Amino acid sequence: MSDNEQHGPTRFGFFIAPYHPLTGNPTLQIHRDLALVELADQLGYAEAWVGEHHSAGLEIIAAPEVFLAAAAQRTRRIKLGTGVNSLPYHQPMMLADRLCLLDHLTMGRTMMGVGPGQLATDAAMMGIDPVRQRDMMHESMAVLVRLLRGETVTARSEWYHLEEARLQLLPYGDLELAVASTISPSGAVLAGRHGAGLLSLAASDPSGYEALLPNWKVYERTMAEHGHTVDRSQWRLVAPMHIAETREQALREAEWGVGHLVDYIEKLSGRQAPWNTSARAAVQQWAGEGFPAFGRATIGTPDDAIATIEKLAEQSGGFGTFLLLGLNVADWEATQRSAKLFAEHVIPHFTRANRNRVASLEWAHANSERMIGGLTAGIQSAFEKHGQALASALGAEESN
């Protein structure tokens, strides 16, 4: 059993859709997303993923590659992923070209997440049949991986045509690919077929939580069938969290922005949420049974966050990276504090960053009697050795 299986994730990051209230300044909201990635880099988070959406008003980054190019100029070490590129929306060679350029601009910090597209409104505006989206994703991925390997590709489908296509600029390094997975096994099959990582977006949704292990088994089987080596460190789980010093403070802070998420759910689904009676009722529902599309949230303390991640590790059998779903549910100051608390108290728990410090103090405690005895003996010896000289000096001072 690997270390990840025993101890849970060892890498952490953010998955930023993003979700923003319709009452705010969109320019400032996007710049705060950039600031969050910059803060994550400073705090030692390993990854930041940014989504692609084109409708419904809240998720307002249409081109994650453009956003990540800007983020790369503000950061030093954090890896930057498209979370995710909706493959049916793009001619595959053009998408591969853009990601390779981004990989060079970031000097190898780019990751590519792919999926079929989440919002039905996006697909409708582009005239894409939602029934075809997953098939289109598979068709695109089949040529994307070949192009990124440097192959020359001739391929036809109902929606793209490649004739002796090849990239003139290959990735800077090994461009990591990850496939979005929610509840159905479609993402696990596609990831396993091409040896990509698995990105489980609905880890805390009750249905998604139950699907974690079955989807992993599908992924393992498909990887083996196509000659790829399975590595749990390539598995990423996403869940919403907001933490503070106390649970009550976290709940109170989450009340600030929960309304825009409830409104979003109601308008997309065309149904009124029965628990939309107050901000507190909505937050308690979210922390209890969960929201559709967002899953159950952890709204509490760092200890609560640790407990949730440990539960996910147990349910899944082990995974490599945990990603905080960025929902802008609290105001900017509280969001920053939550990120800092997570970095200060949650990440070290799983990376075991303080294990040698703890061992050092325990060793000192176990040997304290011997050490203190030796220290006392040393001080006594010094007094005996230099006592006569000290007495003479004191006597001379008194006589003066």
Side-chain angles (χ1 to χ4, degrees):
M1 184 176 288
S2 72
D3 193 61
N4 281 337
E5 289 177 302
Q6 294 177 27
H7 303 293
T10 57
R11 291 169 60 84
F12 297 85
F14 282 92
F15 191 91
I16 304 168
Y19 298 93
H20 291 302
L22 298 177
T23 54
N25 183 321
T27 305
L28 297 180
Q29 289 171 342
I30 292 170
H31 279 270
R32 281 195 290 270
D33 292 330
L34 284 171
L36 180 59
V37 177
E38 187 175 9
L39 176 64
D41 183 59
Q42 294 167 359
L43 293 173
Y45 287 88
E47 301 177 356
W49 298 75
V50 175
E52 172 193 353
H53 303 89
H54 304 277
S55 61
L58 268 73
E59 302 169 87
I60 52 177
I61 293 177
E65 313 93 275
V66 176
F67 178 94
L68 294 176
Q73 299 302 303
R74 297 166 173 242
T75 56
R76 182 172 54 89
R77 49 165 294 281
I78 193 169
K79 297 199 72 176
L80 304 168
T82 57
V84 297
N85 288 122
S86 301
L87 295 189
Y89 304 167
H90 304 278
Q91 203 271 10
M93 180 178 172
M94 294 297 96
L95 182 59
D97 257 339
R98 292 199 299 273
L99 267 294
C100 285
L101 174 59
L102 181 62
D103 200 31
H104 283 266
L105 290 173
T106 64
M107 301 192 75
R109 288 193 283 147
T110 296
M111 304 173 293
M112 184 180 186
V114 302
Q118 178 191 19
L119 295 176
T121 46
D122 286 358
M125 290 193 303
M126 299 179 209
I128 297 172
D129 182 355
V131 177
R132 282 273 298 136
Q133 280 181 260
R134 280 166 178 77
D135 290 339
M136 293 171 72
M137 175 179 68
H138 283 258
E139 292 165 2
S140 176
M141 188 73 164
V143 297
L144 265 174
V145 294
R146 294 178 61 196
L147 289 168
L148 292 171
R149 286 198 299 259
E151 296 181 21
T152 300
V153 179
T154 296
R156 289 178 180 269
S157 78
E158 295 178 0
W159 60 286
Y160 68 76
H161 176 200
L162 298 177
E163 190 69 38
E164 295 185 6
R166 67 177 180 179
L167 304 181
Q168 62 178 356
L169 182 66
L170 292 175
Y172 178 89
D174 294 325
L175 180 62
E176 186 174 358
L177 299 178
V179 179
S181 172
T182 50
I183 297 170
S184 81
S186 177
V189 170
L190 182 62
R193 184 175 297 165
H194 297 287
L198 196 60
L199 185 56
S200 295
L201 303 182
S204 65
D205 176 85
S207 298
Y209 179 80
E210 294 299 326
L212 287 174
L213 194 54
N215 278 346
W216 179 258
K217 290 180 178 177
V218 170
Y219 176 70
E220 279 186 316
R221 184 173 65 249
T222 311
M223 287 277 281
E225 289 171 352
H226 290 82
H228 303 301
T229 301
V230 176
D231 183 357
R232 282 185 177 267
S233 69
Q234 290 187 297
W235 194 7
R236 296 171 172 87
L237 270 58
V238 182
M241 287 188 177
H242 177 74
I243 59 175
E245 284 79 1
T246 67
R247 288 181 184 173
E248 175 57 32
Q249 181 181 345
L251 289 167
R252 189 169 58 251
E253 290 173 352
E255 291 177 17
W256 174 88
V258 73
H260 76 268
L261 298 179
V262 175
D263 184 62
Y264 191 48
I265 292 169
E266 290 185 333
K267 284 185 167 60
L268 286 182
S269 67
R271 300 175 182 176
Q272 185 173 358
W275 27 263
N276 188 17
T277 56
S278 68
R280 177 53 63 102
V283 170
Q284 289 175 335
Q285 168 72 24
W286 191 22
E289 297 179 17
F291 285 178
F294 302 128
R296 181 175 179 175
T298 298
I299 303 175
T301 66
D303 285 341
D304 294 324
I306 289 170
T308 293
I309 296 169
E310 288 179 338
K311 188 176 179 181
L312 289 170
E314 181 181 358
Q315 175 72 8
S316 65
F319 61 99
T321 303
F322 178 78
L323 301 173
L324 292 149
L325 179 60
L327 287 170
N328 290 291
V329 72
D331 67 25
W332 176 230
E333 288 72 22
T335 296
Q336 292 178 88
R337 287 198 305 275
S338 178
K340 292 174 182 177
L341 282 170
F342 192 96
E344 184 74 33
H345 301 291
V346 180
I347 292 178
H349 173 85
F350 290 98
T351 60
R352 302 169 65 207
N354 290 316
R355 61 189 183 277
N356 274 26
R357 297 174 66 193
V358 171
S360 181
L361 181 57
E362 289 177 349
W363 176 84
H365 174 67
N367 292 274
S368 58
E369 185 175 345
R370 176 168 60 89
M371 299 296 176
I372 294 299
L375 178 63
T376 303
I379 294 172
Q380 183 62 36
S381 175
F383 270 110
E384 292 173 355
K385 182 176 181 180
H386 302 289
Q388 186 175 357
L390 179 61
S392 297
L394 289 175
E397 184 177 341
E398 290 175 359
S399 62
N400 290 334

